[in-house]
């Protein structure tokens, strides 16, 4: 009996030691990310992509304005003298034009390095050749891992303790405190089941949208409204040719037709591009226009 009791006591002590060790390891678990890592992660995940999108839009706009001249004039000072026009003004204006051309020329290489580095890290991560799936994580020294189950249990237990502690502030009798406790429990329950409720609600709203669209398509369609009146030509603008298939700038058969959206007239793409680039207006109506308002028209043969 003594041996059995000693064995039982030893087993109980071993179980208590194991439970104490597990509880101590659970109690000492802390999130791996510091505040600095969190802020830098947000910087690379939100701020950097935002500015890259803005720079992409700026590059597209400047490339459309300068065209192929930016590739020749970025490092060629004589090109500005040959170009004449607006770049012959003040030195500050010429320097600004030189900087825009330099940006148009160099930014595609910077963007290619950015996108190529991201793709290379993802490819290496796919083949288990690196522990980081993005170069920003490698720069920060952060490694993405799956959270172990015991760490998830610790986090859930910590969240339950925090909720109990917060609910204890509204303990006691009274209808107001009871209603507040019920409201807080309802909020906690909605947060716990949000991962299930949100996809179902999105599917439900998409289903309603599809059902509403199908019913509207089956109903009687309204008449198509008439097109707007065409823009009036300016008295000093170019006269429209009698043949509607001819361009108002070159007076020949239109080649590579392009629509100028502010006025609605169609010209040859090279003609309207050169005219708008030089005058910033429609050649017929004199309405203000820019190069990004030229719309190519692709005709079927």
């Amino acid at each position: 009996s003594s041996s059995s009791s000693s064995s039982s006591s030893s087993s109980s002590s071993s179980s208590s030691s194991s439970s104490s060790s597990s509880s101590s390891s659970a109690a000492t678990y802390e999130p791996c990310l510091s505040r600095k890592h969190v802020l830098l992660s947000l910087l690379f995940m939100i701020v950097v992509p935002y500015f890259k999108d803005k720079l992409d839009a700026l590059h597209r706009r400047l490339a459309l304005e300068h065209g192929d001249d930016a590739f020749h004039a970025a490092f060629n000072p004589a090109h500005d003298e040959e170009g004449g026009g607006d770049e012959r003004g003040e030195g500050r204006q010429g320097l600004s034009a030189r900087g825009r051309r330099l940006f148009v020329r160099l930014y595609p290489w910077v963007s290619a390095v950015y996108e190529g580095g991201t793709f290379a890290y993802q490819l290496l991560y796919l083949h288990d050749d690196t522990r980081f799936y993005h170069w920003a994580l490698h720069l920060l020294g952060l490694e993405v891992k799956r959270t172990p189950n015991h760490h998830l249990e610790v986090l859930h237990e910590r969240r339950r303790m925090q909720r109990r502690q917060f609910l204890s502030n509204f303990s006691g009798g009274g209808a107001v405190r009871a209603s507040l406790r019920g409201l807080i429990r309802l909020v906690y329950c909605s947060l716990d089941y949000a991962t299930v409720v949100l996809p179902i609600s999105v599917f439900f709203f998409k289903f309603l949208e599809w059902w509403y669209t199908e019913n509207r398509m089956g109903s009687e369609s309204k008449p198509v409204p008439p097109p707007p009146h065409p823009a009036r030509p300016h008295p000093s603008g170019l006269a429209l040719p009698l043949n509607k298939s001819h361009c108002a700038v070159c007076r020949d058969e239109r080649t590579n037709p392009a629509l100028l959206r502010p006025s609605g007239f169609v010209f040859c793409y090279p003609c309207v591009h050169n005219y708008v680039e030089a005058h910033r207006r429609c050649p017929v109506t004199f309405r203000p226009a820019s190069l990004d308002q030229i719309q190519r028209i692709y005709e079927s043969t």
Side-chain angles (χ1 to χ4, degrees):
S1 60
S2 61
S3 62
S4 63
S5 61
S6 62
S7 62
S8 62
S9 62
S10 63
S11 62
S12 62
S13 63
S14 63
S15 62
S16 63
S17 63
S18 63
S19 62
S20 63
S21 63
S22 62
S23 62
S24 63
S25 63
T28 57
Y29 168 71
E30 293 293 338
C32 300
L33 290 179
S34 62
R35 182 176 179 83
K36 177 182 176 181
H37 285 157
V38 172
L39 294 178
L40 290 177
S41 299
L42 291 177
L43 174 67
F44 282 103
M45 292 174 61
I46 299 177
V47 179
V48 173
Y50 172 78
F51 279 104
K52 187 180 183 303
D53 290 340
K54 294 297 183 181
L55 290 176
D56 290 342
L58 178 62
H59 176 265
R60 286 194 296 268
R61 182 173 63 84
L62 293 180
L64 190 62
E65 291 179 359
H66 292 279
D68 296 334
D69 293 339
F71 293 92
H72 304 287
F75 297 106
N76 187 8
H79 187 276
D80 293 336
E81 299 178 358
E82 296 175 359
D86 297 336
E87 279 97 17
R88 287 184 180 177
E90 300 177 355
R92 183 179 301 176
Q93 185 177 1
L95 182 62
S96 176
R98 185 79 55 77
R100 290 195 296 268
R101 291 195 183 98
L102 185 64
F103 173 77
V104 171
R105 179 172 183 175
L106 295 182
Y107 181 75
W109 296 97
V110 177
S111 179
V113 171
Y114 179 89
E115 299 293 345
T118 303
F119 176 74
Y121 265 89
Q122 292 178 355
L123 188 62
L124 293 174
Y125 185 79
L126 183 63
H127 291 278
D128 292 333
D129 292 330
T130 181
R131 297 179 293 114
F132 311 97
Y133 73 90
H134 198 275
W135 58 266
L137 294 177
H138 197 174
L139 186 64
L140 297 176
L142 297 179
E143 183 179 359
V144 179
K145 292 183 178 180
R146 186 181 296 274
T147 306
N149 291 330
H150 62 279
H151 287 177
L152 291 176
E153 294 175 358
V154 171
L155 294 176
H156 292 328
E157 183 63 27
R158 184 178 299 175
R159 183 174 59 185
R160 285 193 293 267
M161 292 296 294
Q162 291 175 352
R163 290 180 177 181
R164 292 195 196 101
Q165 184 178 2
F166 183 74
L167 286 173
S168 64
N169 298 328
F170 303 93
S171 61
V176 177
R177 290 180 177 270
S179 60
L180 286 177
R181 288 197 301 270
L183 181 60
I184 293 172
R185 288 194 180 95
L186 180 62
V187 173
Y188 288 157
C189 182
S190 62
L191 291 177
D192 292 336
Y193 291 97
T195 55
V196 179
V197 175
L198 285 179
I200 295 177
S201 60
V202 170
F203 174 79
F204 178 71
F205 283 115
K206 286 295 183 180
F207 175 76
L208 289 181
E209 183 181 0
W210 170 80
W211 182 265
Y212 180 72
T213 305
E214 288 292 326
N215 290 338
R216 289 196 62 182
M217 290 179 61
S219 61
E220 296 182 0
S221 60
K222 296 181 179 180
V224 179
H229 296 286
R232 294 182 179 180
H234 193 273
S236 302
L238 298 179
L240 294 175
L242 298 178
N243 192 342
K244 294 184 178 181
S245 62
H246 287 186
C247 175
V249 179
C250 65
R251 298 292 173 174
D252 291 332
E253 188 79 17
R254 280 195 300 264
T255 59
N256 296 328
L259 170 71
L260 192 59
R261 289 200 299 267
S263 61
F265 289 101
V266 180
F267 310 90
C268 298
Y269 179 77
C271 297
V272 69
H273 185 279
N274 295 333
Y275 188 91
V276 172
E277 185 178 15
H279 302 284
R280 301 292 178 181
R281 65 187 183 187
C282 173
V284 176
T285 63
F286 281 6
R287 289 187 177 183
S290 58
L291 292 178
D292 56 352
Q293 293 177 324
I294 300 175
Q295 182 69 42
R296 296 286 296 274
I297 299 177
Y298 298 95
E299 297 177 343
S300 59
T301 56

